Amino acid sequence: MIIPQETINELKRAAAGTGYSCWITEIANNPGILTHQLPQQSKRSNNPADISRKLNARIEPLGWHIVKRIKTRPNESWAWYLLPIESEVQA
């Protein structure tokens, strides 16, 4: 799914102040990006699940959310997707 740039910009504005708004662009432009591939220029964190909760709290009112799925094994990097709330990752 191609997400319009205008939508990405709106979601980034909503996520401003978290230190991770740049992740919105990366996830939107690279569906299935792995956790360890997310931008290094953002604030450092060893808790990506908490980051996704913070971002989702900001973007869910706009009808979008970040969904994470196990791509290989549970202890490896997860794949991240930016989707409209009514959508799910297609297996």
Side-chain angles (χ1 to χ4, degrees), residues 16-88:
T18 63
Y20 300 98
S21 61
C22 60
W23 286 28
I24 299 288
T25 302
E26 289 300 316
I27 297 166
N29 292 330
N30 302 292
I33 189 170
L34 299 176
T35 304
H36 71 275
Q37 296 171 319
L38 287 164
Q40 300 299 316
Q41 69 269 23
S42 59
K43 293 190 313 186
R44 294 226 176 255
S45 174
N46 62 352
N47 191 348
D50 187 51
I51 294 168
S52 68
R53 281 190 295 274
K54 287 177 183 176
L55 292 173
N56 278 338
R58 303 278 188 103
I59 66 174
E60 284 177 349
L62 301 174
W64 291 82
H65 63 164
I66 293 170
V67 177
K68 299 177 301 298
R69 295 285 183 254
I70 297 171
K71 198 158 192 172
T72 54
R73 293 186 294 232
N75 61 339
E76 294 181 342
S77 281
W78 287 40
W80 293 53
Y81 301 88
L82 182 63
L83 299 170
I85 288 179
E86 64 275 358
S87 298
E88 283 300 319

